[in-house]
């Protein structure tokens, strides 16, 4: 989900007056995978990488939203770790504000988002499984190489 807000940073005066901001330095985590769910964020400027199981899933930039999707499923934990790649500023969208919007949403809209997110979740589960498979294969290859080198040095 991407919102376009002019060139450098969000320009909407009402938006800026209604939401607090948070500045992050390079490599600072905004939140971690499995943290309790909380506020949502919109990137004013900068760049944030989302990781799952230490694997980069996406890099987000200006105007992009993060930290809100678990609200649609009433999940209590964050799905990703969000880390600033550069100096970054985000707008903080309070969790209760997001819940109030969701509670007022048309049932069709809620259903549409939940259906889309379920499909996305299946994709992410597949990514996790693929990552796990690659990790196991690499470990097996490394073990085989080590065994081969030991046998070679004995002969």
């Amino acid at each position: 989900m991407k919102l376009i807000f002019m060139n450098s940073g969000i320009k909407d005066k009402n938006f800026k007056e209604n939401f607090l901001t948070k500045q992050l330095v390079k490599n600072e985590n905004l939140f971690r995978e499995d943290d309790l769910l909380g506020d949502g964020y919109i990137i004013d400027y900068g760049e944030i990488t989302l990781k799952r199981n230490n694997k980069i899933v996406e890099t987000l930039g200006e105007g992009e939203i993060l930290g809100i999707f678990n609200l649609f499923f009433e999940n209590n934990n964050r799905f990703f770790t969000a880390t600033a790649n550069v100096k970054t500023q985000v707008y903080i969208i309070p969790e209760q504000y997001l819940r109030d919007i969701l509670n007022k949403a048309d049932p069709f809209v809620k259903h549409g988002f939940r259906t889309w997110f379920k499909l996305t979740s299946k994709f992410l589960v597949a990514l996790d499984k693929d990552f796990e498979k690659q990790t196991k294969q690499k470990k097996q290859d490394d073990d085989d190489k080590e065994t081969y080198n030991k046998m070679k040095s004995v002969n």
Side-chain angles (χ1 to χ4, degrees), residues 26-151:
K26 183 177 180 176
N27 297 323
E28 182 178 353
N29 287 327
L30 181 58
F31 53 81
R32 293 181 186 277
E33 183 177 336
D34 292 326
D35 280 355
L36 288 178
L37 190 61
D39 300 329
Y41 305 93
I42 298 177
I43 301 172
D44 184 28
Y45 61 82
E47 186 178 88
I48 291 179
T49 295
L50 299 178
K51 290 183 181 179
R52 173 97 176 139
N53 295 326
N54 293 317
K55 183 177 181 181
I56 294 174
V57 175
E58 184 67 69
T59 300
L60 305 175
E62 179 184 317
E64 293 191 274
I65 299 171
L66 64 152
I68 67 164
F69 301 109
N70 287 356
L71 283 172
F72 287 96
F73 299 103
E74 298 175 4
N75 186 357
N76 292 327
N77 298 89
R78 301 269 188 197
F79 199 69
F80 301 108
T81 296
T83 307
N85 294 337
V86 296
K87 181 180 175 183
T88 299
Q89 179 170 290
V90 296
Y91 283 96
I92 302 168
I93 313 304
E95 181 179 3
Q96 190 57 52
Y97 178 86
L98 295 167
R99 287 190 187 284
D100 290 346
I101 290 172
L102 186 59
N103 289 337
K104 293 176 191 173
D106 181 275
F108 173 76
V109 172
K110 283 195 259 188
H111 175 74
F113 273 108
R114 286 184 172 135
T115 302
W116 181 74
F117 288 135
K118 283 179 185 174
L119 178 63
T120 303
S121 296
K122 289 178 184 177
F123 171 72
L124 291 170
V125 167
L127 275 178
D128 283 347
K129 287 180 182 176
D130 185 49
F131 179 71
E132 188 176 308
K133 182 179 173 184
Q134 289 175 4
T135 302
K136 284 180 183 177
Q137 184 61 51
K138 183 177 180 341
K139 183 178 179 345
Q140 182 63 49
D141 291 349
D142 290 346
D143 290 348
D144 290 349
K145 194 180 291 182
E146 185 178 332
T147 301
Y148 173 78
N149 288 334
K150 283 181 183 178
M151 291 173 56

